[in-house]
Amino acid sequence: MADRDPGGISPLQQMVASGAGAVVTSIFMTPLDVVKVRLQSQRPSVTSGKCLLYCNGVLEPLYLCPNGARCATWFQDPTRFTGTMDAFVKIVRHEGTRTLWSGLPATLVMTVPATAIYFTAYDQLKAFLCGRALTSDFCAPMVAGALARLGTVTVISPLELVRTKLQAQHVSYRELGACVRTSVAQGGWRSLWLGWGPTALRDVPFSALYWFNYELVKSWLSGHRPKDQTSVGISFVAGGISGTVAAILTLPFDVVKTQRQVALGAVEAVRVSPVHADSTWLLLRRIRAESGTRGLFAGFLPRIIKAAPSCAIMISTYELGKSFFQRLNLEQPLSQ
């Protein structure tokens, strides 16, 4: 590809700008992500049968109880969450404020390179599609966004699984390593991509919807202003609106992804052979049967509260970084 994109900056500079945005966004948004994962990972308790397998949905591993009656106190566990604010209060009260940033190192390790690859791939793909007239300018953001996200999801899926595990259950990095090694030994390397399907079903449509709406809203807010002179404020507003719409439409797939990834380690807890994972559609039906339609939108509030500011902060930081490098390149002409 060309050394410089149509906006006047190189792919390397695009990666630096998007990486900086990823760091800022992760630090501010991780608490909301932790709450969302906790709400999505706790499931209705089931008391029928000879034994009771109970995941309290907080920072604890799965428990195997041989006698449901003796374990009745689990159902009154004070850290069982009833909503977003309830989750915030109980996490801070019972586990400390630092818990809200659990999994942040894994989040940074995952999001910085993933976001750098994703945003750079999007801009390069959009320029390529428009330059070769392979699709219309109207559809190019949607196609480029979907393709860029599909590649990024595939590369980063194992780290996404690790991050979800750290946020949903209070395990040390050593315990997590043992959990991952056991999973690989039992299910092969493919087990590290557990949840790839629902993650792709969530992220690829999210990306397509996000970039399509972002470019549309940004163009509408900018009026006749040139595309490369869009203000940071316009990018912030357009990013927030687009992120909210995309997050609402793809939330059921996010719930499936979380439940499937939190299941990593359940095999070790009950010491049984790994079973074939249900398809995404079967999981959607099961969640709806167990928890109703509301179950498909578990974690709605924290996801929406997170989506709007995180998308707004990320895209505006990225655009700010691009503007900085554009000015820098104008002041320092390209050397031969």
Side-chain angles (χ1 to χ4, degrees):
M1 295 202 179
D3 291 336
R4 293 278 177 88
D5 79 331
I9 67 175
S10 68
L12 179 60
Q13 291 172 329
Q14 288 176 328
M15 294 181 78
V16 172
S18 56
V23 172
V24 174
T25 305
S26 296
I27 291 173
F28 280 101
M29 294 296 113
T30 293
L32 285 168
D33 203 32
V34 169
V35 170
K36 174 184 71 71
V37 168
R38 302 295 187 78
L39 288 170
Q40 290 178 348
S41 61
Q42 69 179 4
R43 296 175 57 190
S45 305
V46 179
T47 58
S48 59
K50 293 183 179 179
C51 62
L52 175 68
L53 181 63
Y54 175 63
C55 176
N56 67 2
V58 201
L59 289 181
E60 296 293 342
L62 294 168
Y63 296 98
L64 182 62
C65 179
N67 189 324
R70 292 183 185 176
C71 300
T73 55
W74 284 354
F75 304 117
Q76 284 79 42
D77 193 297
T79 49
R80 184 79 179 166
F81 305 133
T82 59
T84 302
M85 290 307 300
D86 183 61
F88 267 115
V89 171
K90 287 180 178 176
I91 288 173
V92 172
R93 180 186 300 163
H94 296 285
E95 305 165 40
T97 305
R98 289 181 60 183
T99 304
L100 292 174
W101 280 270
S102 59
L104 180 59
T107 299
L108 291 174
V109 168
M110 178 187 71
T111 56
V112 173
T115 304
I117 294 169
Y118 170 53
F119 274 73
T120 303
Y122 167 76
D123 271 341
Q124 295 294 316
L125 281 168
K126 189 180 73 167
F128 176 79
L129 291 171
C130 293
R132 300 294 180 89
L134 297 176
T135 183
S136 65
D137 290 352
F138 185 74
C139 295
M142 183 181 295
V143 176
L147 291 175
R149 196 60 187 173
L150 181 62
T152 305
V153 164
T154 303
V155 172
I156 216 69
S157 188
L159 282 173
E160 166 79 356
L161 185 148
V162 169
R163 179 181 69 94
T164 302
K165 187 70 174 177
L166 285 170
Q167 289 180 343
Q169 299 177 1
H170 191 41
V171 295
S172 67
Y173 285 97
R174 179 179 298 178
E175 291 169 332
L176 180 65
C179 181
V180 171
R181 285 193 296 272
T182 302
S183 180
V184 170
Q186 293 178 335
W189 288 102
R190 289 180 60 185
S191 64
L192 294 181
W193 277 265
L194 183 70
W196 179 89
T199 300
L201 282 171
R202 177 200 64 178
D203 286 0
V204 173
F206 179 96
S207 181
L209 289 167
Y210 171 77
W211 286 110
F212 175 78
N213 287 309
Y214 171 72
E215 298 290 355
L216 204 63
V217 174
K218 184 177 74 169
S219 176
W220 179 70
L221 292 175
S222 298
H224 299 292
R225 183 180 301 180
K227 289 184 178 180
D228 59 349
Q229 294 182 14
T230 303
S231 70
V232 174
I234 289 176
S235 296
F236 188 91
V237 173
I241 294 173
S242 305
T244 300
V245 172
I248 292 172
L249 295 177
T250 57
L251 181 56
F253 296 113
D254 188 46
V255 175
V256 171
K257 184 271 304 180
T258 298
Q259 288 203 6
R260 182 170 282 172
Q261 290 184 332
V262 169
L264 176 66
V267 170
E268 297 94 295
V270 296
R271 290 177 170 82
V272 296
S273 300
V275 295
H276 176 69
D278 291 335
S279 70
T280 298
W281 305 111
L282 284 176
L283 283 172
L284 286 169
R285 290 172 60 186
R286 190 193 72 194
I287 292 168
R288 189 173 185 275
E290 292 180 350
S291 308
T293 303
R294 284 187 64 182
L296 295 174
F297 292 88
F300 173 85
L301 190 57
R303 179 159 165 80
I304 300 308
I305 293 174
K306 177 195 173 187
S310 64
C311 289
I313 293 170
M314 180 63 232
I315 194 63
S316 57
T317 305
Y318 179 56
E319 295 289 358
L320 184 63
K322 285 170 59 175
S323 298
F324 169 79
F325 284 118
Q326 285 171 353
R327 291 194 300 270
L328 186 67
N329 292 337
L330 287 173
E331 295 172 1
Q332 301 177 356
L334 283 172
S335 58
Q336 299 297 327

